[in-house]
Amino acid sequence: MNYQYIEQLLERYWECQTTIEEEQILRSFFSQPDIPMHLMQYADLFAYEAKEKEESLGEEFDQRILAMIEEKKVVKAKEVKLSTRFAPFFKAAAVVAIALTIGNVAERTLQNNSANDATGSTTVADTYARRGEITAKIRVIDQNKSEAIAKADSVNNQAAGTNQSLVNEEIAETPAE
Amino acid sequence: MKVISFKNDILPLKDKLFRLALRITRNREEAEDIVQDTLMKIWSQRDNWSKIQNIETFSMTICRNRALDIQQKHERMVVSLDEETHDRPDNATPADEQMIQAQKFGAISKAISQLPEKQRTIIQLRDIEGKPYQEIADIIGISLQDVKVNLFRARQKLKSTIGAEQN
C-alpha cells in the first residue's frame, strides 16, 4: 500500500499548511490498527489527542449548574417583587380609568344632543309665532299706508281748491286796462 | 437573530471549556471550578447574549481568562512559599491525572504540558478541538499570524520530541 499521500499530509501538518479536513484525515488514518512501521512513531501523538477529546464533565455537573441558575432566578424574582406584584392592580386601575373616561364623555355627548334638540323645537315655535306677529304688523302698516294716502289726497284737493279761489280773487282785483 | 438558550446552547459547551481549562491549569478540580465560574458569568450576562456574535468563542475566552487568573494566583503562592521555605520543586508539578497520562503517553503528554501556555492552548484548540485559525485568534485575542507562528513552534517541538524518542 502506498502511504505517500499520508506522508505528504504529515509533512504539511508539521509546517502548519494542512486544512482542518486534512488534519481530520490524518487523525482517522492514525486511529486505525494497521499503521506501517515507519509512521508508527506518530501514532501516539494522534492517539493522545483523540483521547484528550474524550475528557468531559458528568451529568451531575449539569444538574448543579442548572440548580444554581434556578436559585439565581428566584433571587431575581424577589428583587422585582413589589412592582411585579402590583402590576395587575395597576392594569386593572388603568382599565377602570379608561372605562370611566369613556363613559363620562359618552354621557356628556348624549346630554348635549338632547339639549340641542329641545332648543331647536323652541326656535321653530318662536319662528312661527314671530312670523304671525310680523304678518299682523305688516297688515297694520298697510292699513296706515292706505289712510295716509287718503289723507294726502284730501289735503291735495283742499290745496287745489284754495289755489283756484286765490287766482280768482287776483283776477277780480286786477284793474281793467 | 437566533435566541440563545442556556440549556441548549451554552451548557453543552461545558466539555470543551473543561478541556481548555484542564490544558491550562493541568488540574481537574480547578478546571471544573473554572467551568462553573465561566458558566455563571455567562449566565449573569444573559441580557447581552443577543449582542454576542459567537457564543462559543465568547465562552472560551471567558474560560481561558479565568484559568489564567487562577494560574497567576498559584504562581504567586508558589513564589511566596519559596521565599518562606526555600523548598522549590524541580518543575511545575503536574496533577495526578497528568502523571497517569504521562505514564501512558510518555513523551507526548510531557512535551505538550511543558509548552508555553499560549502554544499549549493553541494545540488544544486546533489539534484536539479542530477549530479554525480565526476562531482561535478570536478566543486568545491575538492575530491570525501569531496563531500560526505559535502552532508551528508547538508542532515542531512535538515533532522533535517524537524524533528524540525514536532515536
Side-chain angles (χ1 to χ4, degrees):
Chain A
M1 199 173 172
N2 189 1
Y3 295 103
Q4 206 181 339
Y5 176 61
I6 295 296
E7 286 161 8
Q8 279 177 357
L9 277 188
L10 204 52
E11 272 314 303
R12 290 177 54 223
Y13 170 79
W14 298 122
E15 299 297 318
C16 298
Q17 289 170 353
T18 40
T19 62
I20 292 175
E21 291 74 23
E22 287 169 336
E23 287 166 19
Q24 193 52 50
I25 291 169
L26 280 176
R27 268 190 278 278
S28 303
F29 173 80
F30 282 104
S31 68
Q32 57 168 0
D34 301 326
I35 299 166
M37 277 304 286
H38 71 290
L39 294 174
M40 199 65 189
Q41 56 180 323
Y42 305 113
D44 264 4
L45 173 65
F46 292 98
Y48 172 78
E49 289 176 353
K51 187 197 156 294
E52 287 296 287
K53 207 179 178 178
E54 287 166 11
E55 285 285 1
S56 60
L57 290 166
E59 184 66 23
E60 266 180 40
F61 181 84
D62 286 23
Q63 300 306 323
R64 193 168 79 228
I65 295 292
L66 290 173
M68 285 169 84
I69 281 166
E70 278 303 312
E71 220 170 88
K72 283 204 170 187
K73 269 185 193 168
V74 172
V75 170
K76 204 189 174 188
K78 274 179 188 168
E79 278 171 11
V80 290
K81 209 165 135 189
L82 269 181
S83 56
T84 316
R85 208 170 250 192
F86 283 108
F89 292 104
F90 291 141
K91 279 180 194 168
V95 168
V96 169
I98 290 166
L100 284 177
T101 312
I102 291 171
N104 220 356
V105 168
E107 201 180 344
R108 279 193 188 180
T109 314
L110 284 174
Q111 275 178 355
N112 280 349
N113 281 346
S114 55
N116 280 345
D117 284 350
T119 324
S121 61
T122 314
T123 312
V124 171
D126 280 353
T127 311
Y128 280 116
R130 277 179 194 161
R131 193 187 283 175
E133 281 173 22
I134 290 165
T135 316
K137 279 181 183 170
I138 289 169
R139 274 189 201 136
V140 172
I141 290 166
D142 273 350
Q143 209 175 333
N144 289 346
K145 189 183 159 190
S146 309
E147 281 172 16
I149 290 168
K151 278 185 183 171
D153 280 348
S154 66
V155 170
N156 275 347
N157 287 342
Q158 281 176 3
T162 316
N163 282 344
Q164 194 59 49
S165 58
L166 284 174
V167 170
N168 290 341
E169 279 174 17
E170 275 178 15
I171 293 166
E173 283 173 10
T174 309
E177 289 179 6
Chain B
M1 199 176 209
K2 183 181 171 273
V3 176
I4 294 170
S5 145
F6 184 84
K7 202 174 176 181
N8 300 327
D9 300 314
I10 296 167
L11 193 54
L13 298 174
K14 65 174 179 151
D15 293 336
K16 280 184 189 175
L17 297 172
F18 176 65
R19 291 191 290 263
L20 176 62
L22 190 58
R23 183 65 55 201
I24 295 168
T25 63
R26 292 172 281 197
N27 180 304
R28 291 187 75 86
E29 281 178 16
E30 267 180 5
E32 193 171 328
D33 287 347
I34 289 164
V35 177
Q36 183 179 308
D37 292 350
T38 302
L39 292 174
M40 285 299 117
K41 188 168 183 183
I42 296 167
W43 172 254
S44 71
Q45 295 180 11
R46 59 194 176 283
D47 294 342
N48 299 322
W49 287 352
S50 57
K51 294 174 198 158
I52 297 163
Q53 270 195 331
N54 185 332
I55 194 75
E56 187 172 328
T57 304
F58 178 75
S59 309
M60 297 290 258
T61 305
I62 291 178
C63 182
R64 177 172 180 260
N65 291 341
R66 180 76 188 135
L68 291 179
D69 284 350
I70 299 281
Q71 276 291 91
Q72 278 178 359
K73 273 182 197 167
H74 278 304
E75 278 163 20
R76 262 183 252 129
M77 274 174 71
V78 168
V79 169
S80 62
L81 278 172
D82 286 348
E83 284 164 357
E84 283 171 23
T85 62
H86 300 281
D87 184 20
R88 188 174 190 150
D90 293 342
N91 220 326
T93 323
D96 292 350
E97 187 71 19
Q98 290 296 122
M99 291 294 281
I100 295 162
Q101 282 189 12
Q103 284 167 6
K104 194 175 178 187
F105 287 101
I108 300 291
S109 174
K110 195 177 174 190
I112 291 178
S113 69
Q114 285 180 345
L115 290 172
E117 182 277 320
K118 208 174 275 178
Q119 290 180 25
R120 211 159 70 225
T121 298
I122 292 172
I123 282 283
Q124 174 69 30
L125 295 176
R126 178 71 184 195
D127 286 348
I128 296 171
E129 305 297 348
K131 288 200 171 294
Y133 291 138
Q134 187 56 61
E135 210 175 315
I136 297 170
D138 292 342
I139 291 168
I140 301 181
I142 58 175
S143 71
L144 209 65
Q145 195 55 36
D146 280 350
V147 172
K148 288 179 184 173
V149 166
N150 277 287
L151 182 64
F152 178 80
R153 285 178 187 157
R155 281 182 182 171
Q156 288 302 315
K157 171 76 181 160
L158 296 178
K159 190 185 177 187
S160 68
T161 304
I162 292 167
E165 278 286 301
Q166 198 64 20
N167 295 327

